[in-house]
């Protein structure tokens, strides 16, 4: 079984699903979205963050030695399933009080089907609600057999509807993603699992009239009424430098303003309503 | 405090006070090395004593006050006592050149310098002094409070109303 | 049981801060006046007391009677003022915002500042030249040999000298008889007249002369209260006659009508009940200093009057808000008199009268009623410094709706109320031999302390113990920063002879025991001097047990007679011990290993030139709030404190109950303390209350858990846990999650938690531009304060507190933002 690296575990999150949640961030992603706000999540291998402003040149620079100033931070740690279980279960009392649970994010958690499968099975045994945030780029059969039985909630990203554009901005075709999404919705949606499609809003990339129209049409065709929008968050911008990497060109430096965000959501809703209206005309 | 002085009177006091302060500062600087700070203290107390004598309104502050505030340093080198009492029926301040043992309160400074800076401080702060380990006291703290008030009242008496800059 | 809750809550929903002006113009006006009021020193009480005591015809009387008669004289002659349109009659002082001067305590400490107190930079308190002259020539000269600390000094010179040094312990008995919850219910149930009659009967039947005097003093003091009420009636009528504004006139006449009945007789309606409680509070503050005198469970004691009027159709919800809001603003009509140095170190506090809402009743049933929700609404509409509002919550008995509503008010006001966990708090009180019923009826005193309402004279701020000094002494053979090279405590081992962590711990324990012993002895000596000179007949009337026992409160007349101890520097000391253990006595530490004497030398040199070690201590060494090893040291510190006090008794035959709250002391003491081994450099602030040290990078739930795992049965006076969150949009979902977070903390064993919903940026801006944030309310360590009025150290401490992003749950470091 491939043992994944995990680059962060945050607790008491209000933003990543129902109730209070622990969020586990896996390292490694099949896509290369240019707007990615967790650049450290892309490469599946161990990396280092280095913040030169903190460094006091103490000589502890070698890997394996502790950096006292936290100038150098490991990105990516190995956890056995047991270890991760222990950390997740520390907050069980909060999951219970809030109907919360754990959310797997990344990176792409489905890169580690076997690991995830065991982890989620054991979490279900403990009665912990499990949520998955996925880009949808995975081996469907393995997903269905190994993971789906133990997942309560899936946040499924539909980022760009046009294949060429998708390739341009994420490095991969969206064919598998859209296929997976349809198979999930039509073949395997069982009681007890909930799928929430999510659309990132990045100006000039995903937040365009063409793309949002296309997504509205796609969702309407597949009877998807609800979806969530993820406004672009530039908080990851300075992480590129600390990783020692060059930041991709053309990514916005500012967060989406509330007004612009509303403008695009309204645009999407209007388009969706248009499709619904024209459908009922038929 | 409601002091009503005739203008001419104020001028006289002011001149005396200014001279005194100058003298005090000069002495202070001159004696920094000689480590004989008690002159400074004595001088300050004497100035105060003189003011009680000259200024009836200031004298009002110590009507009926009987008490001794003694000053010394840890090494016992320096010392003085301000002794408040009566001469005939007039309230007076007598200054002694040593710290008496039966004072109501004795303020002990860590050294001459601590004593000097306390005395020349526009608003002497006993608690800060204690916290900074610059001074210590035995006896009734309220006598120090009263003494500090009397010291701080001098500029008021002289009509120097402006508050001196805060030193923190 | 409370059938109107839904209906009342629906009405309350329509009332918001933004519509205050239109819906409650009078409250809005009172609030504006409050924000603009300048504090004035009030010498009226001091003058009446002084003249009484100087009067030679009184000198032969028993001290207790002198006390009663002087209070009577003040109450029955004091000036009656109507500064504003408040619906309630009576005022704590003769000023709109008054700082009463208690000359028998610390009032005299402003002597040096008589000329400057009005104009000083930090929180000036206005004093007229005439009053300053009276203080200087008449009041202070009389008291200079009679203040309580000067009465104690001759019998306790050494222990008092330690107190004078400030860095070992502070005893609040030098400044007050207070920090308790009086039994105001009594004045509602019986009325003052009946209390006087009962005391009279008992006096006649009593043979013990001391008890006889006590019953006499009760009557004398309470007659003063009645005269005070009669004077208000008279003056209100006179003022009404001269008033042209009809609303004002009507209100004055209504006040006259109300006070013609109460507090002499039981109230006939809700307004009378509220005013009776307020008059009682004013009366108690005429006798005892205005520090944390806490009215307690108002939603319980006033409920019968509320529901009767509400059901009878004579009181609307809006009326109730008007009256209760009036009460809130009345509670805020006084502040402490604070000399400048104290202001610099400890400034910004209010008088901290605590009000307690919710929780369970004597039987353990849900006590959250319609009035609870009304008072929560008042708290939201009037986010003022005093009163200090606290919400009790019993998981499983109180509803989730209630918990959510309290959470909503916290998010909406960004600060208040504080949350208290009934399950743990009732248990820990029971562990102090308080009966289950009485424990269930607990109320919060002052900052966070717990007391059986009206039954327990808690004196809960008796001792402030400086744990950082204990640690310093343990590491310096009993020397202290304020005593130079002299060993003042126990001469414990030299550092080079401490060969294990246990020897460090033993030294810590030895120094602590020595200080506890001194503090307890001195506290008891103060108590005995109180018994000699400062009888409290008025406060005693408002306590269950005093009438039956014939004993004044300070003689042990209450049913429970504890004293309270709180601790400064808790988290920093826990982290310091953990760092010592990790760096000097941990064979498995591959990163760093130092001899104890070398490490402490580095600490004593303020980590100068030792960046590597400094960074290790700061970032890597174990910390309370994050690491199990440090948490376990924190737990042991709580246990050892408990063990040391558990074997000691106070002068009233009660025990010592422990707490961990710090007011502003942790900031002030930080400023004057040398570096500590946890990477806190000299002059940096200490952490507040029981809160883990600021900027320790940890998960928020790990921090909660670290606090919750402390042995709460050994913290019977509770603690203040300060948490700071970035503001979040307030909607039903965020409220529910926030509320569930609090539930989780309580379920894991937490006793108390309070919040500042603020970010670094705003607070820094508020420090730079105080005028932009005139009414920014923050939680300090158990009480609320206006940020602008806090001293610099305290402002910095609040800014520095660890901030969590409520959305992502992440810790946000101060550099990061």
């Amino acid at each position: 079984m491939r043992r994944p690296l995990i680059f962060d575990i945050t607790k008491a999150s209000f933003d990543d699903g129902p109730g209070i949640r622990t969020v586990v961030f896996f390292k490694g992603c099949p896509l290369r979205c240019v707007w990615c706000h967790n650049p450290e999540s892309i490469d599946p291998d161990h990396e280092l963050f280095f913040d030169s402003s903190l460094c006091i040149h103490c000589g502890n620079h070698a890997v394996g030695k502790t950096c006292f100033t936290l100038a150098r931070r490991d990105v990516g740690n190995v956890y056995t399933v047991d270890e991760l279980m222990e950390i997740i279960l520390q907050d069980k009392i909060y999951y219970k009080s809030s109907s919360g649970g754990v959310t797997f994010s990344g990176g792409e958690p489905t890169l580690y089907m076997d690991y995830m499968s065991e982890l989620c099975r054991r979490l279900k045994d403990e009665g912990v609600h499990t949520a998955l945030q996925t880009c949808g780029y995975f081996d469907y059969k393995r997903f269905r057999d190994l993971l789906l039985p133990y997942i309560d909630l899936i946040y499924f990203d539909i980022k760009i509807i046009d294949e060429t554009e998708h390739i341009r901005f994420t490095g991969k075709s969206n064919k598998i993603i859209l296929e997976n999404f349809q198979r999930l919705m039509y073949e395997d949606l069982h009681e007890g699992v909930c799928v929430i499609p999510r659309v990132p809003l990045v100006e000039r990339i995903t937040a365009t009239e063409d793309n949002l129209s296309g997504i509205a049409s796609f969702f309407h065709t597949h009877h998807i009424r609800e979806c969530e929008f993820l406004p672009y968050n530039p908080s990851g911008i300075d992480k590129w430098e600390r990783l020692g990497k060059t930041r991709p060109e053309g990514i916005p430096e500012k967060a989406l303003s509330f007004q612009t965000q509303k403008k695009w959501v309204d645009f999407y809703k209007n388009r969706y309503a248009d499709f619904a209206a024209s459908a009922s005309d038929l | 405090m409601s002091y009503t002085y005739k203008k001419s009177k104020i001028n006289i006091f002011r001149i005396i006070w200014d001279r005194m302060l100058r003298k005090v500062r000069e002495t202070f600087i001159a004696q920094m090395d000689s480590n004989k700070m008690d002159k400074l203290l004595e001088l300050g107390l004497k100035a105060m004593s003189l003011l009680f004598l000259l200024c009836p309104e200031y004298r009002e502050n110590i009507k009926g006050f009987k008490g001794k505030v003694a000053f010394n340093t840890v090494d016992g080198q320096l010392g003085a006592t301000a002794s408040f009492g009566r001469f005939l029926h007039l309230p007076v301040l007598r200054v002694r050149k040593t710290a008496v043992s039966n004072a109501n309160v004795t303020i002990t400074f860590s050294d001459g310098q601590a004593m000097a800076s306390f005395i020349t401080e526009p608003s002497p702060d006993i608690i800060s002094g204690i916290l900074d380990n610059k001074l210590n006291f035995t006896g009734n703290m309220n006598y120090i409070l009263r003494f500090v008030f009397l010291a701080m009242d001098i500029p008021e008496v002289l009509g120097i109303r402006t508050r001196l800059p805060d030193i923190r | 049981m409370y059938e109107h809750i839904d209906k009342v809550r629906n009405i309350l929903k329509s009332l918001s801060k933004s519509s205050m002006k239109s819906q409650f113009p009078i409250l809005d006006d009172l609030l504006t006046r409050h924000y603009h009021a300048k504090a004035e020193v009030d010498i009226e009480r001091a003058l009446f007391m002084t003249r009484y005591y100087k009067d030679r015809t009184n000198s032969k009387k028993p001290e207790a009677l002198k006390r009663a008669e002087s209070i009577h004289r003040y109450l029955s002659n004091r000036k009656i003022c109507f500064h504003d349109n408040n619906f309630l009659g009576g005022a704590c002082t003769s000023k709109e915002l008054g700082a009463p001067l208690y000359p028998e305590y610390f009032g005299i400490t402003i002597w040096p500042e008589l000329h400057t107190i009005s104009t000083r930079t930090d929180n000036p308190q206005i004093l007229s030249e005439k009053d300053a002259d009276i203080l200087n020539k008449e009041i202070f000269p009389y008291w200079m040999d009679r203040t309580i600390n000067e009465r104690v000094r001759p019998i306790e010179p050494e222990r008092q000298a330690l107190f004078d040094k400030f860095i070992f312990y502070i005893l609040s008995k030098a400044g007050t008889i207070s920090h308790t919850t009086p039994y105001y219910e009594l004045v509602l149930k019986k009325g003052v007249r009946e209390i006087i009659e009962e005391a009279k009967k008992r006096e006649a039947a009593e043979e013990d002369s001391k008890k006889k005097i006590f019953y006499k003093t009760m009557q004398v003091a309470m007659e003063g209260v009645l005269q005070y009420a009669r004077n208000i009636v008279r003056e209100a009528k006179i003022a009404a006659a001269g008033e042209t504004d009809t609303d004002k006139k009507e209100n004055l006449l209504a006040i006259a009508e109300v006070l013609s009945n109460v507090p002499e007789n039981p109230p006939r309606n809700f307004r009378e009940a509220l005013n009776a409680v307020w008059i009682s509070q004013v009366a108690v503050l005429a006798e005892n200093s205005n520090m944390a005198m806490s009215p307690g469970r108002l939603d319980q004691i006033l409920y019968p009057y509320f529901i009767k009027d509400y059901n009878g159709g004579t009181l609307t919800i809006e009326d109730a808000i008007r009256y209760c809001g009036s009460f809130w603003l009345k509670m805020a009509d006084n502040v402490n008199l604070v000399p400048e140095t104290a202001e610099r170190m400890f400034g910004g506090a209010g008088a901290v009268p605590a009000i307690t809402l919710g929780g369970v009743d004597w039987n353990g049933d849900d006590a959250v009623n319609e009035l609870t929700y009304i008072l929560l609404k008042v708290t939201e509409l009037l986010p003022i410094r005093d009163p200090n509002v606290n919400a009790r919550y019993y998981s499983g008995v109180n509803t989730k709706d209630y918990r959510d509503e309290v959470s909503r008010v916290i998010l909406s006001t960004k600060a208040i109320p504080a949350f208290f966990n009934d399950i743990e708090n009732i248990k820990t009180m029971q562990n102090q031999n308080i009966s289950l019923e009485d424990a269930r009826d607990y109320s919060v005193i002052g900052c966070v302390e717990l007391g059986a309402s009206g039954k327990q004279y808690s004196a809960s701020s008796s001792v402030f113990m400086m744990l950082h000094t204990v640690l310093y002494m343990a590491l310096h053979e009993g020397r202290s920063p304020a005593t130079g090279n002299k060993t003042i405590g126990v001469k414990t081992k030299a550092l080079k002879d401490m060969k294990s962590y246990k020897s460090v711990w033993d030294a810590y324990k030895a120094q602590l025991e020595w200080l506890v012993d001194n503090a307890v002895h001195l506290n008891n000596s103060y108590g005995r001097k109180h018994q000699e000179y400062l009888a409290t007949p008025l406060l005693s009337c408002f306590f269950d047990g005093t009438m039956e026992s014939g004993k004044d409160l300070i003689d042990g007349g209450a049913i429970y007679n504890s004293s309270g101890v709180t601790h400064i520097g808790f988290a920093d000391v826990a982290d310091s011990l953990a760092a010592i253990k990790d760096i000097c006595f941990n064979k498995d530490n591959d990163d760093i290993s130092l001899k104890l004497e070398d490490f402490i030398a580095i600490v004593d040199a303020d980590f100068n030139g030792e960046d590597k070690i400094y960074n290790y201590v700061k970032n890597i060494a174990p910390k309370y709030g994050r690491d199990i090893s440090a948490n376990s040291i924190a737990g042991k510190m709580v246990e050892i404190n408990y063990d040391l006090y558990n074997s000691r008794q106070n002068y009233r035959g009660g025990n010592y109950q422990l707490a961990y709250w710090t007011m502003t002391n942790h900031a002030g003491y930080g400023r004057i303390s040398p570096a500590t081994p946890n990477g806190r450099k000299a002059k940096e602030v200490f952490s507040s209350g029981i809160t883990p040290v600021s900027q320790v990078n940890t998960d928020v739930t790990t921090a909660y858990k670290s606090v919750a795992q402390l042995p709460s049965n050994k913290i019977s006076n509770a603690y203040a846990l300060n948490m700071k969150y970035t503001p979040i949009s307030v909607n039903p979902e965020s409220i529910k999650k926030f509320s569930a977070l609090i539930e989780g903390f309580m379920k894991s064993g937490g006793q108390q938690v309070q919040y500042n919903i603020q970010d670094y940026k705003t607070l820094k801006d508020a420090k730079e531009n105080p005028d932009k944030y005139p009414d920014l309310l923050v939680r300090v360590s158990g009480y609320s304060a206006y940020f602008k009025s806090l001293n610099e150290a305290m402002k910095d401490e609040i800014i520095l507190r660890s901030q969590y992003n409520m959305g992502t749950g992440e810790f946000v470091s101060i550099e990061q933002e």
Side-chain angles (χ1 to χ4, degrees), chain A residues 24-276:
Chain A
V24 181
F25 293 88
F26 286 84
K27 202 157 152 39
C29 184
L31 304 189
R32 295 290 180 272
C33 306
V34 293
W35 65 85
C36 183
H37 75 275
N38 280 337
E40 74 274 37
S41 73
I42 299 170
D43 188 334
D45 292 324
H46 181 270
E47 289 177 281
L48 287 177
F49 264 144
F50 185 70
D51 185 343
S52 57
S53 69
L54 295 176
C55 182
I56 56 165
H57 310 288
C58 67
N60 269 13
H61 202 70
V63 174
K65 279 195 158 187
T66 312
C67 175
F68 293 174
T69 63
L70 308 180
R72 191 199 67 217
R73 274 180 46 214
D74 287 314
V75 184
N77 290 303
V78 175
Y79 292 85
T80 64
V81 171
D82 281 345
E83 284 165 349
L84 200 52
M85 280 295 288
E86 196 195 317
I87 293 170
I88 293 169
L89 291 179
Q90 281 167 357
D91 279 9
K92 211 175 163 182
I93 217 162
Y94 295 93
Y95 310 149
K96 215 179 143 210
S97 74
S98 67
S99 309
V102 60
T103 300
F104 298 104
S105 183
E108 180 52 45
T110 60
L111 283 183
Y112 313 99
M113 274 321 171
D114 298 305
Y115 181 92
M116 279 287 289
S117 177
E118 188 190 340
L119 182 63
C120 291
R121 182 179 51 78
R122 287 177 58 184
L123 284 167
K124 290 320 297 171
D125 288 347
E126 291 282 348
V128 175
H129 181 273
T130 53
L132 170 71
Q133 296 177 346
T134 178
C135 69
Y137 196 92
F138 49 69
D139 176 338
Y140 189 80
K141 194 171 165 303
R142 276 171 60 77
F143 171 77
R144 184 191 61 205
D145 297 341
L146 290 172
L147 206 47
L148 193 56
Y150 314 117
I151 293 285
D152 299 306
L153 170 63
I154 301 167
Y155 290 105
F156 200 118
D157 286 6
I158 303 293
K159 299 179 191 341
I160 299 173
I161 203 76
D162 179 80
E163 189 179 358
T164 331
E165 289 286 292
H166 200 278
I167 295 172
R168 183 175 155 209
F169 288 113
T170 75
K172 286 273 176 6
S173 156
N174 60 2
K175 226 172 133 203
I176 295 178
I177 298 172
L178 298 177
E179 245 175 54
N180 284 349
F181 183 72
Q182 290 168 59
R183 288 186 70 180
L184 178 63
M185 299 307 290
Y186 287 107
E187 296 170 25
D188 296 297
L189 209 55
H190 59 85
E191 228 177 292
V193 61
C194 172
V195 179
I196 300 176
R198 295 199 306 182
V199 181
L201 289 179
V202 189
E203 285 235 274
R204 293 192 300 276
I205 300 176
T206 68
T208 65
E209 293 196 357
D210 285 352
N211 190 42
L212 291 179
S213 293
I215 289 176
S217 160
F218 176 76
F219 283 168
H220 179 257
T221 313
H222 298 292
H223 315 288
I224 310 293
R225 287 198 182 81
E226 301 288 329
C227 76
E228 280 185 7
F229 292 93
L230 288 177
Y232 170 72
N233 169 4
S235 68
I237 272 190
D238 64 319
K239 288 187 190 169
W240 290 98
E241 195 189 331
R242 278 191 283 146
L243 274 177
K245 291 184 170 174
T246 7
R247 142 155 77 105
E249 276 176 33
I251 58 171
E253 294 192 4
K254 273 193 192 151
L256 208 62
S257 75
F258 184 74
Q259 287 90 338
T260 324
Q261 188 185 328
K262 191 171 176 304
K263 182 188 96 186
W264 287 116
V265 172
D266 288 347
F267 174 82
Y268 166 86
K269 282 184 182 160
N270 288 335
R271 294 299 292 145
Y272 191 93
D274 293 345
F275 289 119

Side-chain angles (χ1 to χ4, degrees), chain C residues 373-392:
Chain C
Y373 285 105
I374 290 171
L375 293 175
L376 279 172
K377 180 54 79 176
V378 171
T379 306
E380 187 186 1
L381 294 177
L382 302 171
I384 50 181
R385 172 168 58 191
D386 288 329
N388 182 24
V389 184
N390 304 283
R392 286 176 46 176

Side-chain angles (χ1 to χ4, degrees), chain B residues 56-124:
Chain B
E57 285 86 352
Y58 188 50
R59 198 158 59 228
E60 277 289 298
N61 283 327
I62 54 167
K63 203 174 147 193
F65 180 27
K66 250 190 92 184
K68 295 190 186 80
V69 181
F71 303 85
N72 63 13
T73 48
V74 172
D75 58 13
Q77 291 283 311
L78 310 175
T81 303
S83 172
F84 297 90
R86 263 195 325 197
F87 178 70
L88 301 175
H89 61 280
L90 270 189
V92 291
L93 163 61
R94 290 188 189 85
V95 182
R96 300 198 191 159
K97 292 182 181 180
T98 53
V100 299
S101 57
N102 64 343
N104 297 79
V105 68
T106 303
I107 309 175
T108 307
F109 295 93
S110 57
D111 51 34
Q113 204 150 0
M115 183 189 268
S117 62
F118 184 80
I119 293 163
T120 51
E121 175 80 34
S123 48

Side-chain angles (χ1 to χ4, degrees), chain B residues 1 61 125 133 140 143 153, chain C residues 115 129 136 144-145 341 482:
Chain B
M1 220 108 316
N61 283 327
D125 184 343
N133 213 10
N140 187 328
Y143 283 71
D153 198 35
Chain C
H115 293 310
E129 294 209 342
N136 179 43
M144 67 186 295
D145 291 313
T341 313

Side-chain angles (χ1 to χ4, degrees), chain C residues 493-779:
Chain C
K493 275 185 194 169
L495 294 175
K496 62 176 175 29
D497 299 327
M498 294 189 184
K499 296 295 180 205
S500 65
Y501 173 72
K502 191 181 169 293
S503 48
V504 177
W505 178 251
D506 287 344
Y508 175 81
K509 215 164 120 179
Q511 303 296 354
L512 180 62
E513 180 158 15
W514 180 79
L515 268 183
V516 166
D517 203 58
N518 277 293
V520 164
H521 270 95
L522 187 58
N523 180 56
N524 289 346
S525 296
Y526 266 98
R528 285 185 205 102
K529 284 292 166 193
H530 281 180
Q531 289 172 337
E532 219 175 301
Y533 293 104
L534 299 176
T536 60
L538 230 164
L539 186 59
S540 298
C541 286
F542 295 107
F543 264 85
D544 204 0
T546 47
M547 187 69 86
E548 293 72 20
S549 63
K551 280 202 256 179
D552 193 287
L553 207 59
I554 51 162
D555 289 320
I559 294 183
Y560 304 106
N561 284 292
S562 57
S563 294
V565 181
T566 189
H567 301 86
I568 317 291
F570 176 78
D572 289 274
V573 170
D575 286 358
S576 293
L577 288 167
I580 288 171
K581 193 174 181 183
D582 179 54
I583 292 171
C584 308
F585 303 107
N586 178 7
K587 288 196 187 76
D588 299 329
N589 187 341
D590 300 328
D591 290 323
I592 210 166
S593 173
L594 288 171
K595 281 188 186 158
L596 180 61
E597 58 269 34
D598 296 339
F599 179 43
I600 299 308
I602 289 168
V603 175
D604 287 346
D606 208 13
F607 297 95
N608 222 331
E610 296 285 353
D611 281 359
K612 202 172 159 181
I613 290 161
Y614 172 73
N615 273 288
Y616 177 85
V617 177
K618 199 87 185 144
N619 298 319
I620 313 293
K623 305 282 183 193
Y624 159 63
R626 182 179 69 197
D627 302 293
I628 292 170
S629 58
N631 286 347
S632 113
I633 288 173
K636 291 211 170 74
M637 283 170 63
V638 169
E639 282 178 22
I640 182 193
N641 285 335
Y642 180 83
D643 292 344
L644 284 175
Y645 287 99
N646 205 28
S647 53
R648 291 168 163 83
Q649 264 207 342
N650 71 15
Y651 66 102
R652 284 173 279 123
N655 59 3
Y656 282 87
Q657 299 196 2
L658 306 195
Y660 297 83
W661 48 275
T662 53
M663 300 200 73
T664 51
N665 292 282
H666 59 284
Y669 275 99
R671 281 284 188 265
I672 57 161
S673 297
T676 40
N678 63 327
R680 185 198 137 273
K681 289 190 177 176
K683 298 189 174 149
E684 289 180 2
V685 295
F686 290 115
S687 181
S688 68
I690 199 100
T691 318
V693 173
S694 295
Q695 301 301 317
V696 165
N697 186 343
T698 183
D699 296 311
V700 66
T701 50
T702 308
Y704 279 130
K705 194 176 170 187
S706 306
V707 177
Q709 53 92 39
L710 295 171
S712 59
N713 64 332
K714 295 181 174 167
I715 312 179
S716 59
N717 258 340
Y719 52 62
L721 171 61
N722 282 297
M723 299 298 281
K724 187 162 84 185
Y725 277 105
T726 11
I728 192 169
S729 68
V730 185
N731 56 50
E733 202 193 326
S734 64
I735 293 166
K736 277 210 156 59
K737 289 188 182 186
F738 179 58
S739 163
L741 193 71
I742 294 163
E743 169 88 40
F745 168 62
M746 290 188 181
K747 274 273 165 66
S748 48
Q751 288 179 265
Q752 189 268 11
V753 62
Q754 52 178 2
Y755 294 92
N756 282 306
I757 316 289
Q758 296 290 352
D759 53 25
Y760 300 121
K761 218 167 75 193
T762 313
L763 292 169
K764 280 181 193 164
D765 193 39
K767 190 187 166 193
E768 296 299 317
N769 308 296
D771 298 338
K772 260 170 81 183
Y773 304 86
D775 46 10
L776 173 63
L777 189 74
V778 291
R779 290 298 289 175

